[in-house]
Amino acid sequence: MGFADISFIVFAVFTVVSGLGVILAKNPVHSVLMLILAFISTAGLFVLMGAEYLAFLLVVVYVGAVAVLFLFVVMMLDVDFAELRADYMRYAPLGGLVAVALVVQIGLMVANWQIPDEALAARQAPTEVIRTVTDAEVGNAEQLGMVLYTRYVHFFQIAGLILLVAMIGAITLTFRERRGIKVQDVGKQVGRRREDAVEVVSVPTGRGI
Protein backbone atom coordinates (compact mmCIF):
# COMPACT_ATOMS: atom_id res chain seq x y z
CA MET A 1 0.00 0.00 0.00
CA GLY A 2 1.52 3.28 -1.17
CA PHE A 3 1.34 6.78 0.22
CA ALA A 4 -1.45 7.71 -2.20
CA ASP A 5 -3.56 4.77 -1.03
CA ILE A 6 -3.12 5.76 2.62
CA SER A 7 -4.08 9.34 1.77
CA PHE A 8 -7.19 8.14 -0.05
CA ILE A 9 -8.29 6.11 2.98
CA VAL A 10 -7.75 9.09 5.31
CA PHE A 11 -9.68 11.48 3.08
CA ALA A 12 -12.50 8.99 2.50
CA VAL A 13 -12.92 8.23 6.22
CA PHE A 14 -12.95 11.93 7.13
CA THR A 15 -15.47 12.65 4.36
CA VAL A 16 -17.92 9.97 5.49
CA VAL A 17 -17.58 10.71 9.22
CA SER A 18 -17.88 14.49 8.79
CA GLY A 19 -20.85 14.05 6.44
CA LEU A 20 -22.64 12.02 9.09
CA GLY A 21 -21.73 14.65 11.66
CA VAL A 22 -23.40 17.36 9.56
CA ILE A 23 -26.78 15.63 9.56
CA LEU A 24 -26.62 14.11 13.06
CA ALA A 25 -25.37 17.11 15.04
CA LYS A 26 -28.10 18.99 16.89
CA ASN A 27 -26.04 22.15 17.34
CA PRO A 28 -25.69 24.34 14.20
CA VAL A 29 -22.14 25.29 15.20
CA HIS A 30 -21.09 21.62 15.23
CA SER A 31 -22.79 21.07 11.87
CA VAL A 32 -20.87 23.94 10.27
CA LEU A 33 -17.54 22.64 11.60
CA MET A 34 -18.32 19.17 10.25
CA LEU A 35 -19.36 20.70 6.91
CA ILE A 36 -16.04 22.52 6.55
CA LEU A 37 -14.19 19.28 7.33
CA ALA A 38 -16.28 17.41 4.73
CA PHE A 39 -15.48 20.00 2.04
CA ILE A 40 -11.74 19.89 2.76
CA SER A 41 -11.76 16.08 2.72
CA THR A 42 -13.59 15.99 -0.60
CA ALA A 43 -11.10 18.49 -2.02
CA GLY A 44 -8.32 16.09 -1.02
CA LEU A 45 -10.03 13.31 -2.97
CA PHE A 46 -10.20 15.58 -6.02
CA VAL A 47 -6.48 16.28 -5.71
CA LEU A 48 -5.76 12.54 -5.67
CA MET A 49 -7.81 12.14 -8.86
CA GLY A 50 -5.88 14.89 -10.61
CA ALA A 51 -8.81 17.33 -10.66
CA GLU A 52 -7.00 20.20 -8.99
CA TYR A 53 -9.39 22.81 -10.39
CA LEU A 54 -12.39 21.15 -8.75
CA ALA A 55 -10.45 20.93 -5.49
CA PHE A 56 -9.69 24.68 -5.53
CA LEU A 57 -13.28 25.42 -6.54
CA LEU A 58 -14.62 23.37 -3.64
CA VAL A 59 -12.40 25.10 -1.11
CA VAL A 60 -12.75 28.67 -2.38
CA VAL A 61 -16.46 28.64 -3.24
CA TYR A 62 -18.05 26.22 -0.80
CA VAL A 63 -15.82 26.67 2.23
CA GLY A 64 -15.93 30.42 1.64
CA ALA A 65 -19.74 30.28 1.44
CA VAL A 66 -20.02 28.33 4.71
CA ALA A 67 -19.70 31.58 6.66
CA VAL A 68 -22.60 33.06 4.68
CA LEU A 69 -24.60 29.87 5.14
CA PHE A 70 -23.98 29.97 8.89
CA LEU A 71 -25.01 33.63 8.93
CA PHE A 72 -28.37 32.81 7.33
CA VAL A 73 -28.86 29.91 9.77
CA VAL A 74 -28.25 32.19 12.74
CA MET A 75 -30.60 34.83 11.32
CA MET A 76 -33.40 32.33 10.67
CA LEU A 77 -33.03 30.37 13.94
CA ASP A 78 -32.76 33.52 16.08
CA VAL A 79 -29.85 32.15 18.11
CA ASP A 80 -29.17 33.89 21.43
CA PHE A 81 -25.71 35.41 21.02
CA ALA A 82 -25.23 35.93 24.74
CA GLU A 83 -25.78 32.24 25.41
CA LEU A 84 -23.52 31.34 22.48
CA ARG A 85 -20.66 33.42 23.89
CA ALA A 86 -21.17 31.96 27.36
CA ASP A 87 -20.70 28.42 26.03
CA TYR A 88 -17.70 29.32 23.89
CA MET A 89 -15.30 26.95 25.65
CA ARG A 90 -17.68 24.06 25.09
CA TYR A 91 -16.98 24.24 21.35
CA ALA A 92 -13.20 24.50 21.80
CA PRO A 93 -12.45 20.72 21.93
CA LEU A 94 -14.41 19.99 18.75
CA GLY A 95 -12.92 23.03 17.03
CA GLY A 96 -9.43 21.86 18.00
CA LEU A 97 -10.04 18.38 16.59
CA VAL A 98 -11.33 19.84 13.34
CA ALA A 99 -8.30 22.15 13.13
CA VAL A 100 -5.89 19.24 13.64
CA ALA A 101 -7.73 17.18 11.00
CA LEU A 102 -7.53 20.08 8.53
CA VAL A 103 -3.79 20.50 9.10
CA VAL A 104 -3.22 16.77 8.52
CA GLN A 105 -5.29 16.77 5.36
CA ILE A 106 -3.62 19.88 3.93
CA GLY A 107 -0.26 18.23 4.58
CA LEU A 108 -1.39 15.13 2.70
CA MET A 109 -2.58 17.28 -0.21
CA VAL A 110 0.78 19.04 -0.45
CA ALA A 111 2.63 15.71 -0.25
CA ASN A 112 0.55 14.22 -3.07
CA TRP A 113 0.66 17.32 -5.27
CA GLN A 114 2.39 16.77 -8.59
CA ILE A 115 3.44 19.77 -10.68
CA PRO A 116 3.19 19.02 -14.44
CA ASP A 117 6.34 19.25 -16.52
CA GLU A 118 4.63 21.78 -18.80
CA ALA A 119 4.13 24.14 -15.85
CA LEU A 120 7.81 23.93 -14.89
CA ALA A 121 8.85 24.59 -18.50
CA ALA A 122 6.50 27.57 -18.75
CA ARG A 123 7.88 28.96 -15.50
CA GLN A 124 11.45 28.71 -16.80
CA ALA A 125 10.60 30.28 -20.17
CA PRO A 126 7.52 32.49 -19.70
CA THR A 127 8.16 34.50 -22.89
CA GLU A 128 8.38 31.48 -25.17
CA VAL A 129 5.96 31.42 -28.09
CA ILE A 130 2.83 29.45 -27.21
CA ARG A 131 2.73 26.24 -29.21
CA THR A 132 -0.24 24.16 -30.25
CA VAL A 133 -0.97 21.46 -27.67
CA THR A 134 -3.06 18.33 -27.82
CA ASP A 135 -5.89 17.37 -25.46
CA ALA A 136 -3.54 15.18 -23.47
CA GLU A 137 -1.25 18.15 -22.74
CA VAL A 138 -4.03 20.55 -21.76
CA GLY A 139 -4.54 20.89 -18.02
CA ASN A 140 -7.64 20.16 -16.02
CA ALA A 141 -8.68 23.81 -15.72
CA GLU A 142 -8.25 24.45 -19.46
CA GLN A 143 -10.32 21.41 -20.41
CA LEU A 144 -13.16 22.38 -18.07
CA GLY A 145 -13.11 25.94 -19.38
CA MET A 146 -13.33 24.81 -23.01
CA VAL A 147 -16.22 22.47 -22.22
CA LEU A 148 -18.17 24.94 -20.06
CA TYR A 149 -17.92 27.89 -22.44
CA THR A 150 -18.55 25.97 -25.67
CA ARG A 151 -20.76 22.91 -25.31
CA TYR A 152 -22.51 23.76 -22.02
CA VAL A 153 -22.48 27.56 -22.09
CA HIS A 154 -26.30 27.86 -21.93
CA PHE A 155 -26.56 25.46 -18.99
CA PHE A 156 -23.79 27.42 -17.27
CA GLN A 157 -25.73 30.66 -17.65
CA ILE A 158 -28.97 29.02 -16.45
CA ALA A 159 -27.16 27.75 -13.35
CA GLY A 160 -25.98 31.31 -12.66
CA LEU A 161 -29.54 32.62 -12.91
CA ILE A 162 -30.78 29.90 -10.53
CA LEU A 163 -28.12 30.87 -7.99
CA LEU A 164 -29.10 34.52 -8.35
CA VAL A 165 -32.77 33.69 -7.68
CA ALA A 166 -31.75 31.56 -4.68
CA MET A 167 -29.70 34.42 -3.26
CA ILE A 168 -32.60 36.87 -3.66
CA GLY A 169 -34.95 34.36 -2.01
CA ALA A 170 -32.61 33.89 0.95
CA ILE A 171 -32.34 37.65 1.45
CA THR A 172 -36.13 37.99 1.22
CA LEU A 173 -36.70 35.24 3.79
CA THR A 174 -34.29 36.73 6.30
CA PHE A 175 -35.37 40.34 5.82
CA ARG A 176 -37.10 41.81 8.84
CA GLU A 177 -38.95 45.09 8.70
CA ARG A 178 -38.21 47.31 11.69
CA ARG A 179 -40.90 49.74 12.69
CA GLY A 180 -40.54 53.04 14.47
CA ILE A 181 -37.48 54.18 12.50
CA LYS A 182 -37.13 56.86 9.86
CA VAL A 183 -36.81 55.60 6.31
CA GLN A 184 -35.86 57.41 3.15
CA ASP A 185 -38.61 57.92 0.55
CA VAL A 186 -36.72 58.38 -2.70
CA GLY A 187 -39.85 58.98 -4.78
CA LYS A 188 -41.00 61.76 -2.47
CA GLN A 189 -37.57 63.39 -2.57
CA VAL A 190 -37.34 63.27 -6.34
CA GLY A 191 -40.88 64.62 -6.79
CA ARG A 192 -40.35 67.54 -4.42
CA ARG A 193 -41.04 70.96 -5.97
CA ARG A 194 -39.53 74.32 -5.21
CA GLU A 195 -42.92 75.74 -4.19
CA ASP A 196 -43.29 73.04 -1.51
CA ALA A 197 -39.98 73.83 0.16
CA VAL A 198 -39.22 77.51 -0.42
CA GLU A 199 -41.38 80.43 0.70
CA VAL A 200 -40.53 83.96 -0.43
CA VAL A 201 -41.49 86.54 2.21
CA SER A 202 -41.50 90.30 1.60
CA VAL A 203 -40.25 91.91 4.81
CA PRO A 204 -40.71 95.67 5.26
CA THR A 205 -37.54 97.59 5.98
CA GLY A 206 -36.87 98.04 9.69
CA ARG A 207 -39.59 95.72 11.00
CA GLY A 208 -38.01 92.28 10.73
CA ILE A 209 -39.92 89.06 10.34
Side-chain angles (χ1 to χ4, degrees):
M1 182 179 293
F3 184 73
D5 298 330
I6 297 176
S7 301
F8 173 78
I9 294 174
V10 172
F11 286 133
V13 170
F14 274 110
T15 302
V16 175
V17 173
S18 56
L20 292 175
V22 172
I23 60 177
L24 295 179
K26 297 181 179 180
N27 193 312
V29 178
H30 295 169
S31 296
V32 171
L33 292 176
M34 290 292 107
L35 188 60
I36 294 175
L37 184 58
F39 285 150
I40 298 295
S41 304
T42 309
L45 294 175
F46 281 134
V47 170
L48 292 178
M49 291 188 297
E52 68 279 355
Y53 177 77
L54 294 179
F56 281 119
L57 189 67
L58 190 65
V59 172
V60 173
V61 176
Y62 286 93
V63 176
V66 164
V68 180
L69 174 64
F70 180 62
L71 176 62
F72 282 125
V73 169
V74 171
M75 293 172 65
M76 297 183 71
L77 295 181
D78 196 14
V79 177
D80 189 0
F81 288 97
E83 183 180 356
L84 195 61
R85 294 192 192 98
D87 296 337
Y88 172 76
M89 293 305 299
R90 188 174 63 182
Y91 307 128
L94 180 60
L97 291 177
V98 173
V100 172
L102 291 179
V103 171
V104 172
Q105 292 186 9
I106 292 174
L108 292 176
M109 290 184 195
V110 174
N112 286 280
W113 189 270
Q114 295 180 359
I115 302 178
D117 297 335
E118 293 82 4
L120 295 176
R123 184 182 302 174
Q124 294 174 1
T127 58
E128 185 181 357
V129 179
I130 300 176
R131 57 187 177 87
T132 305
V133 295
T134 60
D135 292 339
E137 296 174 337
V138 176
N140 178 255
E142 290 83 356
Q143 291 182 5
L144 285 175
M146 288 187 294
V147 172
L148 281 179
Y149 292 103
T150 55
R151 184 180 302 177
Y152 301 106
V153 60
H154 297 97
F155 298 99
F156 188 72
Q157 293 177 347
I158 292 173
L161 291 175
I162 293 175
L163 291 175
L164 177 62
V165 173
M167 181 181 66
I168 296 175
I171 295 174
T172 304
L173 289 175
T174 56
F175 179 76
R176 298 177 182 177
E177 183 179 358
R178 294 182 296 175
R179 300 183 179 182
I181 61 175
K182 295 182 179 180
V183 295
Q184 183 180 11
D185 190 350
V186 180
K188 186 177 180 181
Q189 291 178 350
V190 174
R192 189 179 184 184
R193 299 180 302 172
R194 178 178 179 274
E195 292 79 7
D196 300 332
V198 178
E199 181 181 358
V200 180
V201 180
S202 180
V203 181
T205 303
R207 292 188 179 182
I209 300 178

